[in-house]
Amino acid sequence: MPYTAAHWGSYRIDRDTGTLLPVEGDPQPSRIGKGWASASRDRDSRIMKPAIRKGWLEGDGGAGRSGDRYVEVSWDEALGHCASELTRVRETHGNGAIFGGSYGWSSAGRFHHAQSQMRRFLNLAGGFVGARETYSHAAAEVLFPHILGLSNRAFQDEVTAMPSVSGACEIMLAFGGISPRTAQVASSGTSRHEVAPWLENLANGKTRLISVSPRRGDLERAEWWAIRPGTDTALILALCQEIIAAGRANEDFLKRCTSGYDTFRDYLAGKTDGTAKSAEWAADICDIPADTIRKTALELTEKRSLISMTWSMQRGDHGEQPIWAGLALAAIIGQIGLPGGGYAFGYGCTTPVGRPTRLIPWPSLPQGVNPVSDFIPVARIADMLLNPGSDYAYNGETRTYPDIRLIWWTGGNPFHHHQDLYRLEKAWQRPETVIVNEHSWTATARRADIVLPATTPLERDDIMMNRRDPALIYMSALDAPIGEALDDHDIFARLAERMGFGEAFTKGKSSAEWLEHLWERAGKVAEAHGFALPDFETFKAEGRFDIPDEEEARIALSAFAADPEGSPLATESGRITLFNEKIAAMGLADCPGHPTWMPPVEWLGAAEDGMLQLVSGQPDTRLHSQNDRGSESLSDKVQGREAAYLHPETAKANGLTEGDIIRLSNQRGACLAGLRFDDGLRPDCVFLPTGAWYDPQIVDGVLLEVHGNPNALTIDKGCSGLSQGNIAHTCLVRVEKWDRPLPALSIDRPPIA
Ligand SMILES: Nc1nc2c(c(=O)[nH]1)N[C@H]1C(S)=C(S)[C@@H](COP(=O)(O)OP(=O)(O)OC[C@H]3O[C@@H](n4cnc5c(=O)[nH]c(N)nc54)[C@H](O)[C@@H]3O)O[C@H]1N2
Ligand SMILES: Nc1nc2c(c(=O)[nH]1)N[C@H]1C(S)=C(S)[C@@H](COP(=O)(O)OP(=O)(O)OC[C@H]3O[C@@H](n4cnc5c(=O)[nH]c(N)nc54)[C@H](O)[C@@H]3O)O[C@H]1N2
Ligand SMILES: [Mo]
């Protein structure tokens, strides 16, 4: 049976109809998959031939790198430009002038993973400046090693398995909810979506579910605490303080398993800043009644309670604080390491977090070694381009931004994912050359000088093997490549050949031979885990292999909590740090040595009249900007624009009705969107999902994003000098009716001259 797979699920291929059917045994196939094939086949958005930007050919130095037209060229000509630019920049400025961070969620296949292919190529070409961490959870990635002694990845691997939660948890305080919307996705692919059935089970069981979120829909059938966005830290500090003040802190756990409690306790009590972090104090900040906070604080200590947080919590200003405070609260309650208790990070954010599946480190394409050690924290891209040579703080270091002359991006969409895209637009004009491999005319492809058309995952064979998934899938091509598109591997293989290191890049293997080679290596991994894989031909013919005895129970931090001396954490004290000496010694005003409430740069507590909080979460119908031109995403638009959600009362007060086109704006930018109502949204918020293809145009003399991309409005600033993570969820906007003629989209047709 032919199969294929994506980050949003696995599919059987029906050759008779040329369609995709959800894989057997998936309890809740994703909505996203419905729009995949149509997006891949959309000739208006696919890149058919290599293309060069006109202004670049005319030597505009990058000034015209938005809204320009393209000329189609042969592969030979396009690759010739790539090779000579790469050589010129290397020889003139060195490999440290090449940015290959190339963040993004390209294919779920192990071999045709765009970034891996590009990095293998650039490493052989002398290296590149890379990017650290992710847009998803940079603050956690930098913070957790300090306070937990674990990488975010290692902690994610041991998050308590979902069945152990349903069996034992009595109160779950879920910050940001837990949503089947985001659980549609798994980085590197999935064969099952089991979060929705798990939530159903929880809601029907004995667990009291409390969802702390500006949107009721983030956790259906839960008690809803409609918190003012960006204020979770204050709420959590008050929960801590009320527990301590009532004499209910778990002193035994704190003594055995934490360090720095006394300093944190003094801060909570107001000894260091004169303000006790009481329920009343937090109530004013968070808009949650003091009584509710106080009562729940005590209840958390009386029952088996779990503090669960979504990743969104840390994609905000001072994003380190809520997740650190949440861990501190769990420590004060003292149930870390027990089934159904303690601390969790990421349930529902992707489908595998908390999945009771044993983890198997499947092989991937070897990328080689990067001779250039320089990097940036991933979300500092615009700062880097605008300020070469300037210093910035990062995780205890003072680092210097490199001077980038050439950008190469493959498998990511910065003009989707970055904040304040008007600013990125200016920064993006700085480099001498931008090369992008893409299958579609995304906003980033439209801002490249040399555009190399790639195949989609539906146009090639590959293997899905995700260390967190119970199935392995042989991905068979559904369609032939469109136009002149080539696999990223073949693009880089041809270029490597041209530049004299073809053999080193391909190792003399064809793509099919690489797949077989990866499968052989996978066989050795399986053997070490006590089972055998079928031979390659059998796997290819059967399309799917299910891992035997896959279940494995896991309780986060249980070994440590049971024996902190015998299984210490790799922190400065061997224990969870509630005050961290090393972070304190960094002397960062925006990330002190213990969890601290600091108002965000923008928030409703200090907003002008009429400003609303923009919540730009993940879209239900797509993966970020992927498949935006597919049927499922298009069917959800309003007058062809992304739908923004307002509380009906807010809409009424602003003279708006459902179906209207609205304009969202602030000092940074403006965008249009189509209006829908949601009475489960805080009335002072507007929800606009990410991912509508960025389409800025000059309308009546002013720049206006006309499609509904929230990153026309968001703030481009780091969480703090510790992590420099993005702060996408910290943003205020105004909303008004758009009653002028609706400008036509430009991203629905190719930018060919
Ligand atoms: N306002 C706001 N912004 C956000 C967020 C938010 O919450 N709010 N969330 C952030 C988060 S968590 C993330 S992870 C980022 C996501 O940001 P990205 O990962 O950059 O977004 P994608 O749209 O998934 O981009 C993947 C790109 O790879 C391309 N692609 C897919 N397959 C292939 C392939 O085989 N070859 C090549 N060459 N290209 C391919 C797709 O066409 C697509 O353009 O967005 C961030 N941005
Ligand atoms: N369908 C779909 N699923 C996805 C993705 C996708 O593009 N589409 N992307 C995947 C990726 S890359 C990632 S990183 C994850 C991200 O997973 P999350 O970070 O969990 O996703 P978000 O949708 O950004 O945020 C979840 C909810 O947090 C709430 N929230 C926002 N600000 C605050 C706040 O200040 N306080 C509180 N308490 N709540 C707040 C919002 O109401 C929002 O609905 O999703 C993954 N899943
Ligand atoms: Mo993400």
Side-chain angles (χ1 to χ4, degrees), residues 450-689:
I450 307 172
V451 182
L452 306 173
T455 50
T456 70
L458 287 174
E459 296 167 345
R460 59 197 184 216
D461 284 17
D462 208 339
I463 301 175
M464 178 202 107
M465 35 188 177
N466 181 351
R467 53 199 283 277
R468 298 189 168 105
D469 200 79
L472 306 176
I473 302 284
Y474 185 86
M475 299 164 59
S476 293
L478 170 72
D479 294 326
I482 221 167
E484 294 182 16
L486 291 178
D487 297 345
D488 293 288
H489 174 77
D490 293 340
I491 297 173
F492 290 118
R494 285 193 192 190
L495 255 175
E497 181 68 41
R498 204 179 251 272
M499 295 180 70
F501 51 90
E503 173 68 24
F505 182 76
T506 63
K507 294 273 185 214
K509 292 191 201 32
S510 67
S511 292
E513 286 163 346
W514 269 105
L515 294 184
E516 193 164 353
H517 168 72
L518 284 177
W519 188 250
E520 274 161 21
R521 285 177 51 206
K524 298 210 172 68
V525 174
E527 227 169 79
H529 284 76
F531 60 96
L533 294 182
D535 64 59
F536 185 64
E537 289 309 320
T538 310
F539 175 54
K540 196 171 159 180
E542 291 178 350
R544 166 176 185 161
F545 175 80
D546 292 282
I547 295 163
D549 307 322
E550 30 120 321
E551 295 261 315
E552 188 176 85
R554 268 191 300 274
I555 311 285
L557 302 171
S558 52
F560 160 71
D563 180 12
E565 299 290 324
S567 310
L569 299 175
T571 60
E572 61 189 20
S573 59
R575 292 173 274 168
I576 296 169
T577 64
L578 303 189
F579 172 78
N580 188 289
E581 313 261 353
K582 197 168 155 209
I583 294 178
M586 292 177 193
L588 298 165
D590 51 11
C591 190
H594 56 71
T596 303
W597 162 248
M598 291 165 280
V601 278
E602 277 181 21
W603 69 302
L604 289 165
E608 279 170 35
D609 257 12
M611 294 297 269
L612 304 176
Q613 173 95 22
L614 173 68
V615 181
S616 56
Q618 309 293 19
D620 195 25
T621 58
R622 326 174 267 271
L623 175 64
H624 318 127
S625 69
Q626 296 187 53
N627 302 344
D628 188 36
R629 305 308 298 161
S631 55
E632 194 64 11
S633 172
L634 291 177
S635 73
D636 194 53
K637 308 238 175 196
V638 176
Q639 297 190 48
R641 311 305 142 121
E642 193 64 20
Y645 295 80
L646 281 178
H647 191 281
E649 293 301 323
T650 311
K652 214 164 100 192
N654 286 279
L656 301 167
T657 48
E658 256 187 312
D660 279 352
I661 294 292
I662 56 173
R663 176 176 174 270
L664 294 81
S665 64
N666 60 22
Q667 68 274 32
R668 289 172 292 278
C671 75
L672 300 182
L675 181 60
R676 286 226 184 93
F677 288 176
D678 178 1
D679 66 6
L681 180 67
R682 267 184 73 98
D684 51 9
C685 292
V686 49
F687 182 69
L688 176 61

Side-chain angles (χ1 to χ4, degrees), residues 32 105 136 175-176 181-185 212-215 218 227-232 310-313 315 349-350 615-624 687 690 729:
I32 300 171
W105 275 59
S136 311
F175 289 87
R181 169 179 53 93
T182 44
Q184 291 182 79
V185 162
V212 184
S213 166
R215 299 172 71 207
D218 282 336
I227 193 166
R228 184 175 283 143
T231 67
D232 302 81
T310 52
W311 299 341
S312 63
M313 299 297 305
R315 288 205 302 285
C349 294
T350 57
V615 181
S616 56
Q618 309 293 19
D620 195 25
T621 58
R622 326 174 267 271
L623 175 64
H624 318 127
F687 182 69
T690 64
H729 279 307

Side-chain angles (χ1 to χ4, degrees), residues 268-585:
L268 292 171
K271 291 198 181 146
T272 39
D273 62 358
T275 306
K277 311 304 174 294
S278 65
E280 282 71 19
W281 167 81
D284 278 350
I285 297 171
C286 315
D287 197 20
I288 292 174
D291 232 30
T292 309
I293 300 175
R294 185 168 293 118
K295 276 201 192 116
T296 308
L298 298 187
E299 225 181 308
L300 288 171
T301 65
E302 288 158 0
K303 304 242 167 84
R304 181 59 58 86
S305 47
L306 182 69
I307 309 303
S308 159
M309 300 197 146
T310 52
W311 299 341
S312 63
M313 299 297 305
Q314 44 85 74
R315 288 205 302 285
D317 199 18
H318 311 123
E320 297 87 356
Q321 304 308 316
I323 57 175
W324 194 356
L327 179 65
L329 172 61
I332 289 169
I333 297 167
Q335 299 176 9
I336 290 173
L338 302 179
Y343 179 69
F345 184 58
Y347 286 133
C349 294
T350 57
T351 199
V353 180
R355 180 185 259 171
T357 302
R358 60 173 162 155
L359 304 164
I360 301 179
W362 299 116
S364 53
L365 179 75
Q367 297 181 10
V369 177
N370 187 351
V372 175
S373 58
D374 201 6
F375 67 88
I376 56 161
V378 69
R380 299 279 49 84
I381 169 101
D383 281 358
M384 169 186 78
L385 296 173
L386 289 168
N387 309 297
S390 303
D391 288 346
Y392 65 99
Y394 167 74
N395 199 14
E397 289 177 60
T398 300
R399 298 186 55 85
T400 306
Y401 287 122
D403 188 357
I404 296 301
R405 307 300 175 112
L406 185 147
I407 294 181
W408 203 314
W409 218 291
T410 150
N413 189 357
F415 281 90
H416 151 71
H417 66 230
H418 196 60
Q419 287 55 62
D420 195 351
L421 291 176
Y422 286 15
R423 180 170 188 258
L424 181 63
E425 194 101 68
K426 291 188 196 102
W428 197 256
Q429 295 179 353
R430 295 285 182 98
E432 289 156 14
T433 299
V434 177
I435 307 176
V436 167
N437 297 30
E438 250 297 349
H439 52 62
S440 298
W441 279 113
T442 60
T444 301
R446 288 165 200 262
R447 284 161 181 77
D449 302 320
I450 307 172
V451 182
L452 306 173
T455 50
T456 70
L458 287 174
E459 296 167 345
R460 59 197 184 216
D461 284 17
D462 208 339
I463 301 175
M464 178 202 107
M465 35 188 177
N466 181 351
R467 53 199 283 277
R468 298 189 168 105
D469 200 79
L472 306 176
I473 302 284
Y474 185 86
M475 299 164 59
S476 293
L478 170 72
D479 294 326
I482 221 167
E484 294 182 16
L486 291 178
D487 297 345
D488 293 288
H489 174 77
D490 293 340
I491 297 173
F492 290 118
R494 285 193 192 190
L495 255 175
E497 181 68 41
R498 204 179 251 272
M499 295 180 70
F501 51 90
E503 173 68 24
F505 182 76
T506 63
K507 294 273 185 214
K509 292 191 201 32
S510 67
S511 292
E513 286 163 346
W514 269 105
L515 294 184
E516 193 164 353
H517 168 72
L518 284 177
W519 188 250
E520 274 161 21
R521 285 177 51 206
K524 298 210 172 68
V525 174
E527 227 169 79
H529 284 76
F531 60 96
L533 294 182
D535 64 59
F536 185 64
E537 289 309 320
T538 310
F539 175 54
K540 196 171 159 180
E542 291 178 350
R544 166 176 185 161
F545 175 80
D546 292 282
I547 295 163
D549 307 322
E550 30 120 321
E551 295 261 315
E552 188 176 85
R554 268 191 300 274
I555 311 285
L557 302 171
S558 52
F560 160 71
D563 180 12
E565 299 290 324
S567 310
L569 299 175
T571 60
E572 61 189 20
S573 59
R575 292 173 274 168
I576 296 169
T577 64
L578 303 189
F579 172 78
N580 188 289
E581 313 261 353
K582 197 168 155 209
I583 294 178

Side-chain angles (χ1 to χ4, degrees), residues 36 57 82 145 159 166 170 173 188 215 220 262 340 342 447 498 565 636 687 728:
W36 186 18
L57 285 172
C82 293
V159 163
S166 355
E170 293 171 303
L173 193 55
S188 300
R215 299 172 71 207
E220 302 285 355
D262 292 355
R447 284 161 181 77
R498 204 179 251 272
E565 299 290 324
D636 194 53
F687 182 69

